[in-house]
């Protein structure tokens, strides 16, 4: 079954602390993995795509095929990182995005 | 460059009614995907349209139907509305059916 699991519903950290948002997936094949972010009162937007291997707003994510994980990391959290984060995958056909349930990241000073 | 737009923003319907939601894709994008996001859940794929043809469908009943027009804008139609259809409906457009999807702000549908 194709599935994305984000085990944490809420992650609360202090400003300057490291952040790791977990994402595990189940997919028969080689999926493309994404992180989408939704800031308060804004639309869902792409944060990272694993094939681009970019670092956006200080966030990185490494695809671990052995552990079927795509965890999102940032060494030093900022208050403006507070948002809802969704991990998603799509198959090589590139049609449907399958989303996890999301993790709310709350960064406080 | 104009982003993805959706109308209306909010909608209230009663059970059994029919609804049409609209989406204008980002300039130059020929692919539109629709998602349903229930409260507390991630978006769920309904279907995708590529160059006016349906190009994939999720696990939704036939009363969820769609259309894509020659200008690549799209409609989502839902017949015989049920209470569980209450959700945020998201539209996303992409340059083609293998490219990054860019989301609209959504339409909040409430079924009473």
């Amino acid at each position: 079954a194709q599935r994305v699991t984000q085990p944490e519903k809420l992650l609360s950290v202090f400003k300057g602390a490291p952040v790791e948002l977990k994402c595990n997936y189940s997919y028969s094949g080689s999926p493309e993995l994404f992180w989408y972010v939704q800031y308060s009162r804004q639309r869902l937007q792409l944060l990272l795509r694993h094939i681009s291997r970019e670092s956006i707003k200080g966030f990185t994510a490494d695809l671990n095929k052995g552990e079927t994980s795509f965890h999102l990391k940032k060494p030093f959290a900022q208050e403006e990182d507070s948002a809802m984060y969704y991990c998603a995958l799509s198959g090589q056909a590139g049609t449907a995005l399958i989303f996890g349930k999301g993790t709310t990241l709350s960064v406080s000073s | 460059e104009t982003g993805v737009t959706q109308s209306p923003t909010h909608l209230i319907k009663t059970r059994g009614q029919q609804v049409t939601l609209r989406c204008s894709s980002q300039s130059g994008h020929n692919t539109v995907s629709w998602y349903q996001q229930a409260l507390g859940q991630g978006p769920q794929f309904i279907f995708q349209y590529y160059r006016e043809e349906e190009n994939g469908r999720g696990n939704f009943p036939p009363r969820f139907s769609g259309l894509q027009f020659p200008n690549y804008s799209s409609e989502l139609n839902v017949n015989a509305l049920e209470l569980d259809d209450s959700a945020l409906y998201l539209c996303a457009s992409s340059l083609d059916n293998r490219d990054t999807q860019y989301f609209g702000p959504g339409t909040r549908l409430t079924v009473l």
Side-chain angles (χ1 to χ4, degrees), chain B residues 50-106:
Chain B
Y50 171 61
R51 294 179 183 265
E52 302 179 60
E53 297 287 330
E54 189 178 288
N55 185 48
R57 187 179 181 93
N59 190 25
F60 280 82
R63 59 190 186 83
F64 284 79
S65 62
L67 203 54
Q68 188 177 31
F69 299 98
N71 67 355
Y72 302 131
S73 65
S74 178
E75 284 182 356
L76 163 65
N77 297 291
V78 187
N79 292 323
L81 283 166
E82 301 178 0
L83 298 179
D84 284 349
D85 296 333
S86 294
L88 182 68
Y89 288 85
L90 297 169
C91 161
S93 74
S94 51
L95 196 55
D96 61 38
N97 62 357
R98 297 194 62 169
D99 198 34
T100 301
Q101 295 182 32
Y102 294 88
F103 283 81

Side-chain angles (χ1 to χ4, degrees), chain A residues 9 32 34 36 38 42-46 49 51 84 86 90-102, chain B residues 3-5 33 35 37 40-45 48 55-56 88 90 96-105:
Chain A
K9 199 169 181 178
E32 287 194 45
F34 306 82
Y36 277 82
Q38 187 166 29
Q42 292 188 29
R43 64 185 66 191
L44 201 57
Q45 56 186 285
L46 180 67
R49 186 174 182 180
I51 60 170
M84 174 70 91
Y86 292 97
S90 70
Q92 284 187 318
T95 55
L97 280 169
I98 298 168
F99 285 87
K101 291 187 178 183
Chain B
V4 179
T5 60
S33 304
Y35 294 83
Q37 187 174 18
Q41 303 293 317
Q44 269 198 295
F45 176 72
Q48 182 183 82
N55 185 48
L88 182 68
L90 297 169
D96 61 38
N97 62 357
R98 297 194 62 169
D99 198 34
T100 301
Q101 295 182 32
Y102 294 88
F103 283 81

